[in-house]
């Protein structure tokens, strides 16, 4: 059974930084794009960032461009999300995803359990 395990969430003050990690249980997922989504209380899940399987193409939501950076280490089957200049509006549960069904901003086949990120003002 394929598993994605996120880590690195927590409580941080506005302007601070966090780095999320997501490790896949299957090395084969290293050959697929991976992404990060988030869901704030009372809101729908939204796309945050995605990365091609080689790591040579990245995609970001407008709301995080210039502040967040996605990267991956296929040797470790791990994808990262470096989050800088955090805002209270970034507060959400962050989900890792692997193997998009069509486009990288859409549905994925595999999802992690999520990690809470809380940004205080």
């Amino acid at each position: 059974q394929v598993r994605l395990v996120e880590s690195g969430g927590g409580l941080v003050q506005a302007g601070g930084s966090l780095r999320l990690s997501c490790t896949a249980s299957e090395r084969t997922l290293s050959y697929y794009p991976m992404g990060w989504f988030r869901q704030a209380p009372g809101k729908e899940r939204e796309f945050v960032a995605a990365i091609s399987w080689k790591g040579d193409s990245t995609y970001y939501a407008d709301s995080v461009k210039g502040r967040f950076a996605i990267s991956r280490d296929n040797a470790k089957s791990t994808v990262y999300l470096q989050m800088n200049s955090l805002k209270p509006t970034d507060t959400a549960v962050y989900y890792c995803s692997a193997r998009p069904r069509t486009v990288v901003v859409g549905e994925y086949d595999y999802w992690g359990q999520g990690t809470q990120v809380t940004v205080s003002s």
Side-chain angles (χ1 to χ4, degrees), residues 14-118:
S17 299
L18 283 175
R19 188 175 84 152
L20 306 183
S21 300
C22 170
T23 300
S25 60
E26 296 281 341
R27 289 291 301 271
T28 54
L29 291 184
S30 296
Y31 296 101
Y32 292 98
M34 295 185 73
W36 287 94
F37 287 70
R38 66 186 182 186
Q39 187 168 19
K43 295 188 176 181
E44 293 188 352
R45 186 177 63 198
E46 64 174 0
F47 169 77
V48 175
I51 187 167
S52 62
W53 78 270
K54 288 185 178 180
D56 54 354
S57 295
T58 55
Y59 312 86
Y60 296 96
D62 288 343
S63 58
V64 306
K65 276 181 185 175
R67 300 188 299 121
F68 290 12
I70 188 171
S71 61
R72 67 190 299 165
D73 184 342
N74 287 341
K76 297 181 179 179
S77 300
T78 299
V79 64
Y80 304 96
L81 185 67
Q82 178 66 44
M83 305 185 295
N84 300 324
S85 302
L86 282 161
K87 305 174 181 179
T89 50
D90 294 318
T91 295
V93 177
Y94 283 71
Y95 296 92
C96 173
S97 58
R99 202 167 82 176
R101 293 179 181 176
T102 53
V103 295
V104 296
V105 299
E107 283 297 319
Y108 283 65
D109 284 333
Y110 303 107
W111 295 89
Q113 294 295 315
T115 185
Q116 177 70 47
V117 171
T118 303

